[in-house]
Amino acid sequence: MNRIQLVCLAAILVLAGATQAFAERNFPEQARRGELNAYEYPLMKIGDNVYRLSPGSRILNQQNLIIMPASLRVQTAPVMYMLDMSGDLSRIWLLTGDEAARLPAPK
């Protein structure tokens, strides 16, 4: 009986994790859409503007995991981003293909 309970508990935990993994990301209303281009740390080029990363900024990949700026190896990528009060980048989200199609870049 204990073995059946353990298997059921494991199945519930797996299913709970799977629903979290497939949850749609929601972006703040202040977030803007852009195209990230190749950059030179600590500067980021989004569209035609060059921004500086703010202290404590976060870059989140397509799986919503925080990544370090040095590990960002893309030449171009669709992104959502937020600026802080001083105009520096505070958050960057790398978009999946579905998110990029759902949130078109401004022209």
Side-chain angles (χ1 to χ4, degrees), residues 6-54:
L6 216 69
V7 169
C8 288
L9 179 63
I12 289 170
L13 291 175
V14 167
L15 290 175
T19 57
Q20 185 73 359
F22 294 112
E24 184 176 299
R25 292 195 290 182
N26 294 317
F27 303 104
E29 289 182 21
Q30 309 90 330
R32 303 176 188 176
R33 173 72 162 80
E35 289 292 323
L36 176 72
N37 294 311
Y39 68 97
E40 184 176 319
Y41 181 79
L43 303 175
M44 296 278 198
K45 185 173 183 183
I46 298 178
D48 295 331
N49 301 320
V50 176
Y51 300 103
R52 177 177 295 279
L53 287 172
S54 67

